[in-house]
Amino acid sequence: MPSISLTNPANITSLVFNSISTQKLGGSLRSLSRFTNLEIFSIRNHQLTGPIPSLSSNTALKDFFCYNNQLTGNIPSVSSNTVLKIFNCFNNQLTGNIPSLSSNTVLEKFHCGVNQLSGYVAGSVPTSLLFFRAEYNQLTVTAVNAILADFVAAGALSGTLNLAGFGNAAPTGQGLTDKQTLLSRGWSVTTN
């Protein structure tokens, strides 16, 4: 197995630290800005704290996994990550808004469930996004309705959308109509 030198982090395309035993990493995530060619970042099932660092320098990033940690703060903007296909920050302690996904035209999966997120930056959802989970957060009715409206506007014919769980508001008014529209298109839609 070749060794990896961190003296030139721009050459590294994959960083994977997945816990498969009782050995857990602690501490916080540092800046990933020096890893400019990073395509895959996975640090899951550990005990990391602190915020997710900015990903704006990681324009080659395709897959980002940081689930099952104790991360706090906001989900960083992913608008500069235009080749991003998967973003998974499930089961942390993240707060604030779900960021805009409008510039991520190849994004397929976005999972931010089981956090403490309360809002959503409304805007177009790419038609490529066919798996979106934000269950067990603290999403307001405005956020839930906006998410449903954005998925209806995107026009995709099937996918999975999960907004259920204690803490998330149930859709009202047009949100209920949008939910029915998605169900009629073959979507699996779960809300309170």
Side-chain angles (χ1 to χ4, degrees):
M1 177 180 210
S3 63
I4 297 173
S5 171
L6 292 180
T7 57
N8 193 354
N11 289 337
I12 296 174
T13 59
S14 180
L15 288 173
V16 178
F17 302 98
N18 298 329
S19 174
I20 55 173
S21 67
T22 57
Q23 301 280 329
K24 306 274 185 195
L25 294 175
S28 61
L29 289 175
R30 295 188 150 196
S31 171
L32 299 175
S33 63
R34 296 181 337 154
F35 298 93
T36 53
N37 290 313
L38 189 64
E39 295 178 8
I40 300 170
F41 181 82
S42 179
I43 190 156
R44 50 193 182 194
N45 303 317
H46 289 285
Q47 296 171 343
L48 295 173
T49 59
I52 299 173
S54 170
L55 302 175
S56 61
S57 297
N58 306 105
T59 55
L61 191 63
K62 294 178 182 175
D63 299 335
F64 183 86
F65 301 95
C66 65
Y67 60 82
N68 292 333
N69 281 287
Q70 298 166 16
L71 298 170
T72 57
N74 296 328
I75 297 174
S77 170
V78 291
S79 61
S80 62
N81 307 100
T82 57
V83 296
L84 186 67
K85 289 189 174 187
I86 301 171
F87 185 93
N88 189 330
C89 61
F90 168 80
N91 195 25
N92 280 285
Q93 297 167 17
L94 299 169
T95 56
N97 293 332
I98 298 169
S100 172
L101 305 174
S102 60
S103 61
N104 304 89
T105 58
V106 297
L107 186 64
E108 297 171 0
K109 296 181 180 182
F110 189 88
H111 193 346
C112 61
V114 191
N115 279 288
Q116 298 165 19
L117 302 167
S118 57
Y120 169 74
V121 178
S124 61
V125 168
T127 54
S128 60
L129 187 56
L130 300 177
F131 181 91
F132 183 93
R133 294 185 65 170
E135 74 278 15
Y136 293 100
N137 276 288
Q138 297 172 6
L139 295 175
T140 65
V141 69
T142 302
V144 169
N145 284 348
I147 292 167
L148 291 166
D150 280 353
F151 274 88
V152 167
L157 296 180
S158 67
T160 299
L161 177 59
N162 188 341
L163 303 173
F166 179 76
N168 283 351
T172 60
Q174 184 60 44
L176 289 170
T177 302
D178 289 339
K179 178 180 177 179
Q180 290 305 316
T181 299
L182 290 170
L183 289 170
S184 71
R185 290 181 185 169
W187 278 76
S188 169
V189 181
T190 309
T191 61
N192 282 348

